[in-house]
Amino acid sequence: MKYLFLACLGILIAASLFTHSINPETQSELPVLYWVTDPNPARVLQVSTFQEWLRQNGYPEFELRVDTANSDASKMLIQGVSGVGSDVIGHCGGQRMRYFQKVGLLTDVTAWAKELNFGPEHTFPAMEPELTVNGRQYAFPCNVYAHMLWVNKGTFHQNGVPLPPKRWTFEEFERQGKQFVEAANRGKARQTAFFVNGPNSTIWRRSLGMDIYNETMTRCILDDPRNVELLKRIHRWTYDDHIIPSAADREAFATESGYGGSSFQLFNSGNYAMVWCGRYALIQFREFGTLDLAVAEPPHGGFPVTSTGTRAAAVYIGGKHRDLAKYFLSYLASEAYNMNIVRDADALPPNPKYTKTEAYRRPLPLLPDLTTFFPYPDSELDAVAAFEKTFYAVTDTIDRENPIDPQDLPIPPKPSAMPAEAYQKALAAFHTLYREHMATCRREWGCHEAFSEAAETIAIPVSSSPFILESVATRLIGQLEEGFMADRETAEETARLMGETVNQEIQRALNENPKLRPQFDELSKRQEEIDQRRSAGRPVPRDWITNPFYRRYYVAQGWTE
Amino acid sequence: MGKRDRHNLALGLAFLGPNILGFLCFTILPLVFSLVLAFSNWDLQLHNMFKDEQIKCVGFAHFTRLLLQERDFLRFFGNTLFFMMSIPFAIAGSLGAALLLSRDLGGGTKRVYGWLIAGAVMVASSVMLVVAGAGGTAMTILLCGLACGMLVAGSLGGSTVYRTLFYVPHFTSGVAVYILWKKLYNPHTGPVNTVLDPVLTRVSGAVNGIPPGSMHAVAWLFAGGAAVFAAFGVRNLVRMWRSGDLGWAAAVLPAAILSFPVVMAQRWAPTRAAGTMILILVAATATYELVQAGRDTERFPATFGKGLGNALMLSLALMVGAFIALGLAIVIYQLPTWATDGLEPPPWLASYHWAKPAIMVMGLWGAIGSNNMLLYLAGISNVPQELYEAADIDGASRFQRFWHVTWPQLAPVTFFIIVMSVIHGLQGGFEMARTMTKGGPAGSTTTLSYFIYNEGFETGRLGYASAVAWALFIMVFSVTVFNWKFGSRYVND
């Protein structure tokens, strides 16, 4: 028996050695870096385009591999503090960037950004707080999003309701919403159509001129009558006017499949007249193929505003090849990558100048996904990227004003690395898609500008106090909102508790980390001065204000020096 | 020790070595480490390989904070206890399933063929109704048909089929089950509400036909039942004290437990008036019994801690009974008001009030056919047949056979199941909270284990999360010790 066990031990050891020998890292001659991100099929092409870009620019070559198995935030955190995080951390903008920076997982890329031109000046100005902490840069956007309301024009026309204006107030929203739900649910045993897929209390609160935190983000100010008014309004819109579905209504919609979950499916089927989302909703909407679309700003209570954010990439401080990872961030600022995002409709490209192109404003049908159409081995993926680049260089110049016959499409030359048969098949597939999807593309025209304009004008990133974890604040506030919507507390009590619990959490953080106290005291003193100036009607220096919402709001109201 | 013995010892240790090493590395070491963490201020934001901050000992600060400042701790603890309320029902269900499955259910009798025909007719009828568009009714009939089909299959295949069917929920993957139940609980299209909807419609029609005064009278009856439970408990406690079976100090906690329903009845608006009645009745009973005790010339004083276990078991059981009666009183009292607009099935997981019961029912479904059922099956098969023969000779009925033979013989199994169920109940609730509800709505389904996860991995406060985990361990350990001390006497008697 013991010989049997010894034999098993020997086999296990041999298997371990074999597994180690076929580890991808040991098989590559080039350095291997891992990019942890979501399992979007577009990443494959982005990586192959990146390899091509490295060669063209004469940068050191290395292999970038996508890791989709560890994209959960808690996994990233634990792996990061254990020293085994991925070299490039995806989904690392805004809240996650600030948290990981606090933990110490991120590399300060400010110097590299200056060297390789991927500083905050190369992206939307609103992104600066999402990428930097105390003036130091830690990430660069993979894309940028601004939350707007997608409008299903067909649903409105079917129910005889006029389309919403681009900019509208709460009162107009309510009036049209009531009109819509009454028309769309007429004669039905139970309500199946709603005006919009849910509330967005953060945006609506800001449109009333208030934010979660004060100007210096030292205190939560949700115990404010305006917040009470907003809570009551949302409650009325949900349970009295039925413009917005309740939690039970959302649960009742059984469809869960597809990118974006049930909301997009229900938007397509007319159950929701509008949905909150960024431009990246088009990834799913294009699959549906039949939607006639428009875009509206969120309704406002006096101050038009929306929220913005980014899916950004950062460099892990414990990575073995940090000096190579910087090239990936530089690639994110390149034309090749930006135009990729433009065509995929994966939100907004990092650099706003690419939102001024015809390819962005009036896109044509895309090439089919050649990596699945032709089974390219990894070594030939660069040929795909090269062909796409050539192809789009031609189609981007097509005159959109006049109808274009597919037969008259200019034919891009075949890249040398691409087989002739694959080239012919790609062209034929594109002609087919062009004929079938041109109408779909035209229905998008007019929508894209709304997002880029919003990102440059009214979009403001979410405020984040350095004295409390955003996830904790979000959880506490969200729980209390749910409790209010379940009629456990009154609106006044809910607002009071929101302020109280968040402020208690701030105090707790200060007690646990005394190093924050001097900063807190300094900012609190400044807050007092701001309050005094406001009471006296005097302008406030803009630099005193750290809350990104109030920095914009004060300027808009003319309250700054 | 001879050379050969040393050789054998070394060989044995060599084979055990990997397992021992794994146990030390992945169980003992983390356990000890977490105990150390519980007294430290380790926070991932401040203490990791990329930071220079020193970890400090904070003593009992975490525990103090947990007990005195954590506003949600009691609420989450209450959620955990709420889910544990299903344990007695789960144990009863497992026992019932085991008793049924220990019988020979082979086929071949006329009754079996009757079930076969009835089951086939039901399934065919429901299919035809679905085709005709009567989906709701068809669903009801189909579920009944499914039950019949299961009975028939078991009749043909014997108890093995039933045992497998009963055990299926237990070995089905947790996440798959939770997703399935999410669909079942869908407020508008889920089968649960599809079956409930027509039933509740009829109930509301019936209730609307009954004068509200009659319903209120019935509600008062149930409130009276709660009063009877509480008064009965007080009476027994006093009598136990009189007869020397209960010490005066040991009576304090059971009395407090019995007073809990009385206090809650005063706090809830619908039962405030009834609560006064309950209070009066309980006070009158207590006064009467104490006066009787004062007249006793023969007293049997007991040590002050004697009889705590018996008294606690009695008071806990009566407290649960009183709460059930109060709950029914509230429902019946409010029914006329609710039925005015028509009764609707609840939104289950989307509702603050119904999410917990929904998850509890799901847990009960899985627990009935779990390892507890297998333990009971094994226990039942070990009951000596002579005892049953003796009972038959004495003319015992089926219930008497169960109560005087089967139930006492299953005492060791029951004791083990209670201990393990309580431990599991206090530690559980994480998977379902994370998969189904994310602890909501509004924290209603957040249990202590989910709270520990949030504190540890959402905020990075590993020291505090460890302290909460060890506080939970202390609770589990205390309850287990109590069970061993007071429960085992019923096993050994």
Side-chain angles (χ1 to χ4, degrees):
Chain A
M1 200 57 157
K2 63 187 176 200
Y3 297 115
L4 178 65
F5 284 134
L6 282 169
C8 290
L9 181 63
I11 291 169
L12 284 171
I13 292 172
S16 300
L17 289 171
F18 174 70
T19 306
H20 176 71
S21 72
I22 63 171
N23 186 335
E25 290 197 23
T26 61
Q27 293 193 317
S28 175
E29 291 169 359
L30 298 172
V32 177
L33 274 70
Y34 286 93
W35 173 27
V36 63
T37 183
D38 58 313
N40 188 332
R43 306 285 172 255
V44 176
L45 196 60
Q46 287 167 5
V47 168
S48 62
T49 315
F50 171 62
Q51 310 288 168
E52 175 73 15
W53 177 85
L54 279 177
R55 273 194 293 277
Q56 282 177 359
N57 287 278
Y59 291 136
E61 283 195 46
F62 58 91
E63 255 191 79
L64 181 69
R65 296 193 183 158
V66 171
D67 173 10
T68 58
N70 295 298
S71 57
D72 181 67
S74 53
K75 279 190 187 177
M76 282 197 227
L77 173 67
I78 298 303
Q79 288 172 5
V81 297
S82 307
V84 292
S86 292
D87 303 280
V88 178
I89 304 175
H91 289 275
C92 198
Q95 172 184 332
R96 198 176 287 184
M97 184 278 295
R98 284 184 283 272
Y99 181 49
F100 282 0
Q101 189 275 334
K102 227 184 243 192
V103 177
L105 297 182
L106 304 183
T107 304
D108 182 340
V109 299
T110 311
W112 291 341
K114 285 195 173 70
E115 175 198 338
L116 293 171
N117 298 318
F118 61 85
E121 66 276 12
H122 293 279
T123 183
F124 292 84
M127 286 297 105
E128 192 184 343
E130 303 290 277
L131 307 172
T132 62
V133 177
N134 296 331
R136 308 299 297 178
Q137 184 179 348
Y138 292 92
F140 191 78
C142 295
N143 62 21
V144 173
Y145 57 83
H147 276 139
M148 301 283 273
L149 285 169
W150 281 102
V151 176
N152 187 336
K153 285 159 82 172
T155 304
F156 277 81
H157 293 322
Q158 268 172 28
N159 294 290
V161 178
L163 292 177
K166 186 183 168 196
R167 182 166 289 183
W168 47 346
T169 62
F170 282 163
E171 288 71 28
E172 290 167 332
F173 172 83
E174 184 174 326
R175 193 172 54 246
Q176 270 205 296
K178 285 181 186 174
Q179 188 184 357
F180 174 82
V181 296
E182 199 268 328
N185 295 290
R186 197 173 290 135
K188 292 184 184 173
R190 66 176 178 90
Q191 181 175 2
T192 57
F194 296 89
F195 197 43
V196 69
N197 65 323
N200 194 318
S201 48
T202 304
I203 293 177
W204 286 342
R205 197 178 286 129
R206 283 177 159 187
S207 77
L208 292 170
M210 67 164 292
D211 193 38
I212 296 175
Y213 305 104
N214 57 13
E215 288 84 344
T216 54
M217 295 198 284
T218 49
R219 193 179 161 273
C220 173
I221 55 170
L222 289 177
D223 49 353
D224 183 293
R226 288 169 292 181
N227 190 30
V228 174
E229 179 211 326
L230 178 66
L231 287 170
K232 288 179 179 173
R233 188 187 289 269
I234 294 175
H235 194 280
R236 190 176 76 247
W237 284 349
T238 305
Y239 293 110
D240 297 335
D241 302 330
H242 302 286
I243 295 172
I244 300 173
S246 64
D249 293 322
R250 286 194 289 272
E251 281 282 324
F253 287 124
T255 312
E256 291 290 337
S257 63
Y259 177 77
S262 60
S263 288
F264 291 168
Q265 312 291 327
L266 295 163
F267 177 71
N268 182 42
S269 58
N271 296 95
Y272 293 146
M274 300 186 293
V275 285
W276 293 96
C277 204
R279 181 173 174 257
Y280 56 89
L282 281 171
I283 295 174
Q284 180 65 65
F285 291 167
R286 285 175 177 174
E287 299 282 322
F288 296 144
T290 54
L291 286 169
D292 196 4
L293 297 166
V295 176
E297 289 178 4
H300 66 86
F303 180 65
V305 67
T306 188
S307 64
T308 184
T310 174
R311 177 175 62 84
V315 178
Y316 173 52
I317 200 168
K320 286 187 289 192
H321 307 291
R322 283 194 297 157
D323 53 330
L324 293 176
K326 65 185 180 187
Y327 294 109
F328 182 72
L329 266 60
S330 178
Y331 162 67
L332 297 178
S334 69
E335 180 181 346
Y337 177 79
N338 275 264
M339 290 310 294
N340 211 323
I341 297 295
V342 162
R343 294 189 191 97
D344 282 348
D346 189 1
L348 298 168
N351 194 324
K353 77 177 183 190
Y354 296 102
T355 64
K356 313 290 187 277
T357 61
E358 280 290 275
Y360 174 84
R361 292 174 55 245
R362 291 188 284 186
L364 297 178
L366 297 177
L367 274 175
D369 183 359
L370 299 177
T371 58
T372 56
F373 196 63
F374 304 105
Y376 280 98
D378 288 349
S379 59
E380 292 183 22
L381 278 179
D382 295 345
V384 173
F387 175 72
E388 288 207 355
K389 186 179 171 186
T390 314
F391 182 88
Y392 288 125
V394 169
T395 55
D396 282 349
T397 61
I398 290 174
D399 181 7
R400 264 71 164 167
E401 293 298 331
N402 301 304
I404 308 154
D405 192 302
Q407 301 303 324
D408 297 332
L409 280 174
I411 298 176
K414 183 183 85 65
S416 55
M418 192 168 189
E421 187 191 345
Y423 174 69
Q424 292 301 328
K425 283 187 179 177
L427 283 180
F430 174 72
H431 285 157
T432 307
L433 273 178
Y434 192 93
R435 274 189 295 274
E436 291 173 1
H437 293 292
M438 192 60 209
T440 305
C441 290
R442 283 187 182 276
R443 283 197 283 267
E444 282 177 26
W445 293 4
C447 293
H448 301 269
E449 295 93 321
F451 290 96
S452 52
E453 278 169 23
E456 290 181 284
T457 54
I458 64 170
I460 305 174
V462 174
S463 313
S464 169
S465 169
F467 308 110
I468 180 173
L469 280 176
E470 276 178 69
S471 57
V472 172
T474 306
R475 176 168 53 84
L476 292 173
I477 294 169
Q479 239 176 44
L480 287 165
E481 268 185 23
E482 283 178 0
F484 166 69
M485 295 301 281
D487 296 325
R488 278 184 45 81
E489 309 282 357
T490 61
E492 289 80 4
E493 182 65 12
T494 301
R496 186 190 68 77
L497 283 171
M498 283 179 178
E500 187 182 293
T501 51
V502 174
N503 288 325
Q504 277 177 357
E505 201 55 42
I506 288 175
Q507 288 305 314
R508 180 182 177 183
L510 290 170
N511 292 337
E512 289 177 357
N513 187 7
K515 285 189 176 176
L516 291 175
R517 183 64 69 172
Q519 183 189 5
F520 181 83
D521 291 338
E522 186 194 335
L523 287 172
S524 297
K525 204 170 151 200
R526 193 189 297 172
Q527 182 65 45
E528 283 174 19
E529 291 171 17
I530 291 174
D531 293 338
Q532 280 168 8
R533 284 193 174 218
R534 287 290 309 125
S535 305
R538 290 167 54 202
V540 173
R542 189 166 181 262
D543 290 341
W544 285 11
I545 302 170
T546 51
N547 186 321
F549 166 72
Y550 282 116
R551 283 174 76 94
R552 192 83 69 86
Y553 186 71
Y554 269 54
V555 168
Q557 303 299 314
W559 294 345
T560 52
E561 281 181 350
Chain B
M1 196 184 275
K3 190 178 167 189
R4 189 172 175 77
D5 290 332
R6 280 200 297 272
H7 171 76
N8 285 338
L9 178 63
L11 206 59
L13 283 174
F15 280 115
L16 285 174
N19 191 28
I20 292 174
L21 196 64
F23 181 71
L24 283 173
C25 287
F26 297 110
T27 304
I28 297 297
L29 190 59
L31 203 67
V32 172
F33 191 50
S34 77
L35 183 59
V36 172
L37 275 184
F39 297 95
S40 76
N41 68 339
W42 193 18
D43 185 333
L44 281 180
Q45 291 179 69
L46 305 171
H47 312 110
N48 58 63
M49 61 189 285
F50 305 111
K51 296 272 185 161
D52 295 327
E53 292 280 336
Q54 294 295 318
I55 299 178
K56 293 190 188 112
C57 176
V58 295
F60 289 91
H62 292 321
F63 296 97
T64 311
R65 185 192 161 76
L66 178 67
L67 292 172
L68 300 177
Q69 296 171 24
E70 190 63 62
R71 64 168 67 226
D72 289 327
F73 171 68
L74 282 178
R75 192 155 73 99
F76 298 152
F77 185 47
N79 290 344
T80 308
L81 290 179
F82 186 94
F83 289 131
M84 288 172 65
M85 277 170 48
S86 65
I87 288 177
F89 301 100
I91 293 173
S94 298
L95 177 59
L99 287 170
L100 282 173
L101 293 175
S102 60
R103 296 171 63 190
D104 180 16
L105 298 165
T109 63
K110 285 184 190 170
R111 191 167 52 178
V112 166
Y113 290 123
W115 283 347
L116 193 71
I117 294 167
V121 167
M122 266 197 184
V123 173
S125 307
S126 58
V127 169
M128 284 193 293
L129 282 169
V130 169
V131 168
T137 314
M139 182 68 76
T140 309
I141 295 176
L142 189 61
L143 286 174
C144 296
L146 188 62
C148 280
M150 284 164 59
L151 282 172
V152 167
S155 297
L156 294 175
S159 58
T160 309
V161 172
Y162 287 139
R163 291 178 187 185
T164 309
L165 285 173
F166 269 84
Y167 200 58
V168 160
H170 185 67
F171 65 70
T172 309
S173 155
V175 174
V177 165
Y178 303 144
I179 293 173
L180 171 69
W181 274 91
K182 251 184 115 160
K183 297 295 182 191
L184 289 175
Y185 278 134
N186 189 296
H188 291 309
T189 58
V192 173
N193 278 4
T194 306
V195 169
L196 275 180
D197 199 24
V199 171
L200 288 176
T201 305
R202 290 192 203 291
V203 166
S204 67
V207 168
N208 284 331
I210 300 173
S214 306
M215 299 295 288
H216 293 165
V218 173
W220 273 94
L221 275 176
F222 275 96
V228 166
F229 276 116
F232 181 74
V234 165
R235 167 181 169 270
N236 276 293
L237 284 181
V238 174
R239 290 192 181 187
M240 283 167 71
W241 172 71
R242 276 166 65 185
S243 61
D245 289 330
L246 182 67
W248 66 267
V252 171
L253 184 56
I257 290 173
L258 274 176
S259 65
F260 192 37
V262 181
V263 169
M264 294 309 293
Q266 293 285 330
R267 280 176 57 104
W268 294 333
T271 54
R272 202 159 283 148
T276 309
M277 175 196 76
I278 297 171
L279 186 62
I280 292 170
L281 185 61
V282 167
T285 306
T287 307
Y288 173 78
E289 292 293 332
L290 286 170
V291 164
Q292 292 296 317
R295 286 183 187 164
D296 264 345
T297 51
E298 288 184 5
R299 293 279 304 279
F300 302 96
T303 52
F304 75 94
K306 185 183 175 186
L308 175 62
N310 287 342
L312 267 181
M313 302 289 273
L314 176 73
S315 55
L316 279 170
L318 290 172
M319 180 193 74
V320 170
F323 270 123
I324 291 173
L326 272 177
L328 286 170
I330 293 173
V331 167
I332 293 171
Y333 192 88
Q334 302 275 25
L335 210 48
T337 313
W338 294 338
T340 310
D341 295 326
L343 292 171
E344 283 183 2
W348 298 114
L349 297 174
S351 162
Y352 180 84
H353 300 288
W354 287 100
K356 277 204 288 281
I359 291 181
M360 202 161 82
V361 166
M362 183 193 73
L364 194 60
W365 169 81
I368 287 175
S370 65
N371 291 331
N372 296 344
M373 183 192 74
L374 297 181
L375 288 169
Y376 271 132
L377 273 171
I380 288 168
S381 64
N382 280 332
V383 175
Q385 286 302 311
E386 298 82 36
L387 295 177
Y388 289 121
E389 288 165 8
D392 287 338
I393 290 170
D394 288 342
S397 65
R398 283 170 79 168
F399 176 76
Q400 284 170 325
R401 275 159 54 102
F402 168 77
W403 188 249
H404 293 291
V405 178
T406 311
W407 179 240
Q409 291 294 313
L410 289 177
V413 178
T414 306
F415 172 68
F416 174 77
I417 287 173
I418 289 174
V419 169
M420 298 308 291
S421 297
V422 168
I423 291 172
H424 190 253
L426 281 169
Q427 294 174 334
F430 172 76
E431 273 182 329
M432 50 195 79
R434 183 131 167 90
T435 312
M436 297 175 86
T437 57
K438 296 282 183 287
S444 61
T445 57
T446 300
T447 55
L448 283 179
S449 50
Y450 194 63
F451 173 59
I452 291 169
Y453 174 83
N454 276 340
E455 282 297 315
F457 297 106
E458 184 194 70
T459 67
R461 293 186 185 119
L462 292 179
Y464 183 63
S466 298
V468 179
W470 276 94
L472 180 59
F473 167 76
I474 290 168
M475 279 186 251
V476 172
F477 186 73
S478 307
V479 170
T480 307
V481 164
F482 176 81
N483 275 336
W484 275 104
K485 191 165 165 51
F486 295 106
S488 63
R489 69 178 56 180
Y490 295 100
V491 176
N492 296 326
D493 284 345

